[in-house]
């Protein structure tokens, strides 16, 4: 079977809700990333055979196959198709897996895997809230309710369950959140994000915001003056719980993507690869605690790849809530110094369907910056699932 290589990877800097990316239609923002990937690979746009794009809230401005719409807003010819993927928070990581599988099978040679989410323009839960408001019902079927009687599938509840199960105190969560900001600040100040970020024009929904019309190249969610006292003072999400908004991922607007090719694609493009896809795993797990799946998924991936945790130089574990990476560290025994070395979603934001290729973009560039060989990415996903991708720097 052919190998799959990443030859280009980029992302926009994250935008806060109502912030510097809120004036962008998500289709046009995604098109900017597509065009940048083509530019970075110095590729003939006609060589791209498919665009697979993750997006969670596929309604409104992200409806009607946002991937195809992004192609039509980009420099790619009309002959390039596009399809949209919803695997909840792992949507664009799954897009990467589909792209890799396509080029490894030989059915395609050059595929773009990407993600987009404008959480300003299409707020979280909109795909559920609008039909309910219109009297069209919800996603919980009678058979699901019979299997899970009285269960409310909630990531907020899952985060609290994780904290309790793994004995994580509020203080531990607060300290971890501060570390996320501190690492993101250091990465920004030291220019470690410079090569991966595509600077786009700042456009706020209302217009006239600070920096309007200027290049947006710094993740807007980072708190450069974060303190433990400030984080500790944020009110609890749930009375008697341990999680707060400060120890959860930030609502974020953004678009991200990678170009994936096989050996024929490499020759056609005449470009050197950044990384090789070494292994891919996907599992389903308990949908109630929901956020725990990255732990058994990582264990399965390492077993299948014939690797040990210490063989991996860098890890990206999505910081949906602080209990997720902390519990993952506790069970896997991974070196904390190798995890989310440039900060994570608590500081940088979590643009839902765009986060998969966002983390991969950061991971590939961090491996090059630090001279590491192997990197592992995983993230929890709604419904109790997790993807794991292991890459080798080239």
């Amino acid at each position: 079977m052919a190998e799959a290589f990443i030859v280009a990877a980029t992302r926009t800097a994250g935008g806060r809700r109502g912030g510097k990316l809120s004036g962008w239609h998500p289709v046009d923002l995604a098109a900017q990333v597509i065009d940048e990937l083509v530019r970075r690979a110095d590729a003939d746009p006609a060589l791209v055979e498919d665009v697979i794009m993750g997006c969670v809230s596929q309604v409104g401005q992200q409806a009607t196959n946002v991937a195809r719409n992004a192609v039509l807003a980009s420099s790619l010819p009309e002959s390039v198709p596009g399809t949209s993927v919803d695997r909840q928070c792992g949507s664009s990581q799954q897009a990467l897996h589909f792209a890799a599988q396509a080029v490894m099978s030989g059915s395609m040679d050059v595929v773009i895997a990407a993600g987009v989410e404008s959480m300003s323009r299409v707020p979280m839960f909109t795909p559920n809230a609008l039909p309910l408001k219109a009297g069209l019902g919800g996603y919980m079927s009678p058979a699901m309710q019979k299997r899970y009687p009285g269960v409310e599938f909630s990531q907020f509840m899952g985060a609290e369950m994780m904290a309790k199960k793994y004995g994580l105190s509020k203080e531990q969560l607060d300290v971890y959140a501060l570390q996320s900001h501190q690492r993101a600040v250091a990465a920004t100040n030291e220019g470690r994000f410079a090569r991966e970020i595509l600077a786009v024009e700042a456009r706020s929904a209302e217009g006239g915001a600070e920096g309007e019309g200027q290049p947006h190249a710094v993740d807007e969610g980072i708190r450069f003056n974060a303190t433990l006292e400030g984080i500790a003072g944020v009110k609890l999400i749930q009375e008697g719980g341990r999680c707060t908004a400060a120890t959860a991922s930030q609502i974020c607007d953004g678009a991200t993507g990678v170009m994936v090719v096989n050996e024929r694609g490499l020759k056609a493009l005449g470009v050197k690869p950044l990384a090789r896809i070494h292994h891919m795993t996907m599992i389903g797990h308990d949908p109630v605690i929901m956020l725990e799946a990255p732990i058994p998924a990582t264990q399965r991936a390492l077993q299948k790849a014939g690797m040990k945790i210490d063989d991996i130089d860098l890890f990206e574990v999505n910081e949906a809530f602080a209990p997720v990476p902390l519990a993952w560290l506790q069970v896997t025994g991974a070196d904390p110094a190798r995890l989310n070395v440039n900060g994570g979603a608590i500081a940088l934001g979590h643009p839902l369907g765009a986060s998969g290729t966002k983390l991969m973009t950061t991971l590939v560039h961090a491996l090059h910056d630090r001279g590491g060989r192997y990197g592992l990415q995983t993230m929890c996903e709604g419904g109790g699932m997790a993807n794991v991708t292991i890459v080798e720097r080239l």
Side-chain angles (χ1 to χ4, degrees):
M1 185 176 289
E3 300 269 28
F5 304 94
I6 294 173
V7 297
T10 192
R11 68 178 182 90
T12 62
R16 284 188 180 181
R17 178 169 51 185
K20 294 183 179 181
L21 294 182
S22 61
W24 280 89
H25 193 293
V27 167
D28 291 344
L29 191 63
Q32 292 284 310
V33 164
I34 290 172
D35 287 345
E36 178 67 6
L37 291 169
V38 171
R39 186 194 68 78
R40 290 188 179 211
D42 193 22
D44 176 354
L47 290 176
V48 178
E49 294 174 84
D50 201 1
V51 173
I52 307 171
M53 187 170 290
C55 183
V56 172
S57 297
Q58 296 184 34
V59 67
Q61 294 184 24
Q62 296 174 166
T64 320
N65 192 2
V66 66
R68 175 59 174 168
N69 296 336
V71 168
L72 298 179
S74 75
S75 64
L76 298 181
E78 291 178 344
S79 58
V80 179
T83 192
S84 304
V85 176
D86 174 9
R87 199 175 305 262
Q88 295 294 281
C89 299
S91 295
S92 56
Q93 188 173 1
Q94 184 59 53
L96 170 59
H97 283 202
F98 284 152
Q101 289 161 353
V103 302
M104 290 167 72
S105 73
S107 62
M108 296 181 184
D109 298 329
V110 180
V111 179
I112 287 176
V116 68
E117 204 84 38
S118 177
M119 299 180 75
S120 294
R121 289 177 168 243
V122 188
M124 191 162 51
F125 307 127
T126 298
N128 292 332
L130 284 182
L132 284 172
K133 188 176 181 180
L136 299 177
Y139 72 92
M140 284 287 287
S141 74
M144 287 178 69
Q145 291 171 351
K146 183 178 180 181
R147 184 171 181 177
Y148 299 98
V151 170
E152 177 188 356
F153 294 112
S154 164
Q155 295 203 26
F156 301 105
M157 293 296 294
E160 293 293 351
M161 293 171 70
M162 288 275 286
K164 184 177 181 180
K165 178 174 179 176
Y166 292 96
L168 301 168
S169 67
K170 180 182 180 300
E171 290 71 26
Q172 287 175 287
L173 306 184
D174 292 342
V175 167
Y176 183 86
L178 177 63
Q179 175 187 275
S180 183
H181 284 282
Q182 290 173 333
R183 289 183 173 182
V185 168
T188 301
N189 289 342
E190 294 167 14
R192 281 186 259 137
F193 289 139
R195 287 195 301 131
E196 68 188 63
I197 287 179
L198 163 64
V200 298
E201 178 185 312
R203 299 179 185 175
S204 64
E206 301 300 326
E210 183 180 352
E212 190 82 10
Q214 299 300 310
H216 173 51
V218 176
D219 295 286
E220 202 174 2
I222 303 172
R223 298 191 182 277
F224 286 82
N225 59 349
T227 65
L228 186 58
E229 292 75 20
I231 290 171
V234 176
K235 69 177 182 180
L236 295 168
I237 294 175
Q238 173 186 316
E239 186 176 347
R242 306 177 193 187
C243 297
T244 71
T247 56
S249 56
Q250 293 187 37
I251 289 173
C252 182
D253 302 334
T256 68
V258 299
M259 184 178 286
V260 183
V261 308
N262 55 20
E263 290 90 341
R264 287 197 302 265
L266 284 177
K267 291 178 181 178
L269 296 177
V271 66
K272 292 183 178 180
L274 297 173
R276 179 182 65 87
I277 306 296
H278 184 68
H279 177 80
M280 297 175 289
T281 279
M282 174 70 216
I283 74 161
H285 192 55
D286 185 344
V288 181
I289 194 169
M290 193 177 296
L291 311 181
E292 192 177 33
I295 296 172
T298 297
Q299 293 168 329
R300 179 184 293 185
L302 292 172
Q303 181 182 20
K304 282 192 168 187
M307 303 179 78
K308 296 182 173 60
I309 197 75
D310 291 338
D311 294 331
I312 308 296
D313 297 289
L314 293 176
F315 304 96
E316 285 288 329
V317 178
N318 193 40
E319 295 173 359
F321 296 86
V324 177
L326 285 173
W328 182 90
L329 280 172
Q330 186 183 120
V331 176
T332 64
D335 180 356
R338 302 183 190 184
L339 172 66
N340 299 351
V341 293
N342 292 331
I346 289 171
L348 301 169
H350 176 20
L352 299 184
S355 285
T357 43
K358 175 181 182 292
L359 266 62
M360 182 53 67
T361 294
T362 296
L363 179 59
V364 167
H365 283 91
L367 284 169
H368 279 266
D369 289 343
R370 294 168 179 259
R373 182 179 180 185
Y374 289 110
L376 182 150
Q377 173 195 339
T378 186
M379 54 206 311
C380 55
E381 301 158 5
M385 301 179 290
N387 289 66
V388 177
T389 316
I390 300 175
V391 295
E392 180 185 18
R393 176 186 63 86
L394 298 175

